[in-house]
Coordinates of all heavy atoms in Angstrom, one line a residue:
Y676 N 185.6 58.0 25.7 CA 185.3 56.7 25.2 C 186.5 55.8 25.5 O 187.7 56.2 25.4 CB 185.2 56.8 23.6 CG 183.8 57.2 23.2 CD1 183.5 58.5 22.8 CD2 182.8 56.2 23.0 CE1 182.3 58.8 22.4 CE2 181.5 56.6 22.6 CZ 181.3 57.9 22.3 OH 180.0 58.3 21.9
I677 N 186.3 54.6 25.9 CA 187.3 53.6 26.2 C 187.0 52.3 25.4 O 185.9 52.1 25.1 CB 187.5 53.3 27.7 CG1 186.2 52.5 28.2 CG2 187.7 54.6 28.5 CD1 186.5 51.9 29.6
F678 N 188.0 51.5 25.2 CA 187.8 50.2 24.6 C 187.0 49.4 25.6 O 187.3 49.4 26.8 CB 189.2 49.5 24.3 CG 189.9 50.1 23.1 CD1 191.0 50.9 23.3 CD2 189.5 49.7 21.8 CE1 191.7 51.4 22.2 CE2 190.2 50.2 20.7 CZ 191.3 51.0 20.9
T679 N 186.1 48.6 25.1 CA 185.5 47.6 25.9 C 186.5 46.5 26.1 O 187.4 46.3 25.3 CB 184.2 47.0 25.3 OG1 184.5 46.5 24.0 CG2 183.1 48.1 25.2
D680 N 186.4 45.8 27.3 CA 187.5 44.8 27.6 C 187.7 43.7 26.6 O 188.7 43.1 26.5 CB 187.2 44.3 29.0 CG 186.1 43.3 29.1 OD1 184.9 43.8 29.0 OD2 186.3 42.1 29.1
H681 N 186.6 43.4 25.9 CA 186.7 42.3 24.9 C 187.0 42.7 23.5 O 186.9 42.0 22.5 CB 185.3 41.5 24.9 CG 184.2 42.5 24.8 ND1 183.6 43.0 26.0 CD2 183.5 42.9 23.8 CE1 182.6 43.8 25.6 NE2 182.5 43.8 24.3
S682 N 187.3 44.0 23.3 CA 187.7 44.5 22.0 C 189.1 44.1 21.6 O 190.0 44.4 22.3 CB 187.5 46.1 22.0 OG 187.8 46.6 20.7
Q683 N 189.2 43.4 20.5 CA 190.5 42.9 20.0 C 190.8 43.5 18.7 O 189.9 43.5 17.8 CB 190.4 41.4 19.9 CG 191.8 40.7 19.5 CD 191.8 39.3 19.9 OE1 192.1 38.9 21.0 NE2 191.6 38.4 18.9
N684 N 192.0 44.0 18.5 CA 192.3 44.7 17.2 C 192.3 43.8 16.0 O 191.7 44.1 15.0 CB 193.7 45.3 17.4 CG 193.8 46.5 18.4 OD1 192.7 47.1 18.6 ND2 194.9 46.7 18.9
W685 N 193.1 42.7 16.1 CA 193.2 41.8 14.9 C 192.9 40.3 15.4 O 193.3 39.9 16.5 CB 194.6 41.8 14.4 CG 195.0 43.1 13.7 CD1 195.6 44.2 14.2 CD2 194.8 43.4 12.3 NE1 195.8 45.2 13.4 CE2 195.3 44.7 12.1 CE3 194.2 42.7 11.3 CZ2 195.2 45.4 10.9 CZ3 194.1 43.4 10.0 CH2 194.7 44.7 9.8
T686 N 192.2 39.6 14.5 CA 192.0 38.2 14.8 C 192.1 37.5 13.4 O 191.7 38.0 12.4 CB 190.5 38.0 15.3 OG1 190.3 38.8 16.4 CG2 190.3 36.5 15.6
A687 N 192.8 36.3 13.4 CA 192.9 35.6 12.2 C 192.8 34.1 12.6 O 193.2 33.7 13.7 CB 194.3 35.9 11.6
S688 N 192.4 33.3 11.6 CA 192.3 31.9 11.8 C 192.4 31.2 10.4 O 192.2 31.8 9.4 CB 191.0 31.4 12.4 OG 189.9 31.8 11.7
G689 N 192.8 30.0 10.4 CA 192.9 29.2 9.1 C 193.2 27.8 9.4 O 193.5 27.4 10.5
G690 N 193.2 27.1 8.3 CA 193.5 25.6 8.5 C 193.2 24.9 7.2 O 192.8 25.5 6.2
G691 N 193.4 23.6 7.2 CA 193.1 22.8 6.0 C 193.3 21.3 6.3 O 193.9 20.9 7.4
S692 N 192.8 20.5 5.4 CA 193.0 19.1 5.5 C 193.0 18.5 4.1 O 192.6 19.2 3.1 CB 191.8 18.4 6.2 OG 190.6 18.6 5.5
V693 N 193.6 17.3 4.0 CA 193.6 16.6 2.7 C 193.1 15.2 2.9 O 193.6 14.6 3.9 CB 195.0 16.7 2.0 CG1 196.0 16.1 3.0 CG2 195.0 15.9 0.7
T694 N 192.3 14.7 2.1 CA 191.7 13.3 2.2 C 192.4 12.4 1.3 O 192.3 12.6 0.0 CB 190.2 13.3 2.0 OG1 189.6 14.2 2.9 CG2 189.6 11.9 2.1
I695 N 193.2 11.4 1.8 CA 194.0 10.6 1.0 C 193.4 9.1 1.0 O 193.2 8.6 2.1 CB 195.5 10.5 1.5 CG1 196.0 11.9 1.6 CG2 196.3 9.6 0.7 CD1 197.4 12.0 2.3
H696 N 193.0 8.6 -0.1 CA 192.6 7.2 -0.2 C 193.8 6.3 -0.2 O 194.6 6.3 -1.2 CB 191.7 7.1 -1.5 CG 190.4 7.9 -1.4 ND1 189.3 7.4 -0.9 CD2 190.2 9.1 -1.9 CE1 188.3 8.4 -1.0 NE2 188.8 9.4 -1.6
D697 N 193.9 5.5 0.9 CA 195.2 4.8 1.0 C 194.9 3.2 0.9 O 195.8 2.4 1.3 CB 195.8 5.1 2.4 CG 194.8 4.9 3.5 OD1 193.7 4.3 3.3 OD2 195.2 5.2 4.7

Side-chain angles (χ1 to χ4, degrees):
Y676 279 96
I677 68 165
F678 286 102
T679 54
D680 70 283
H681 48 272
S682 181
Q683 183 160 281
N684 291 336
W685 291 92
T686 305
S688 60
S692 66
V693 57
T694 302
I695 303 168
H696 294 274
D697 56 6

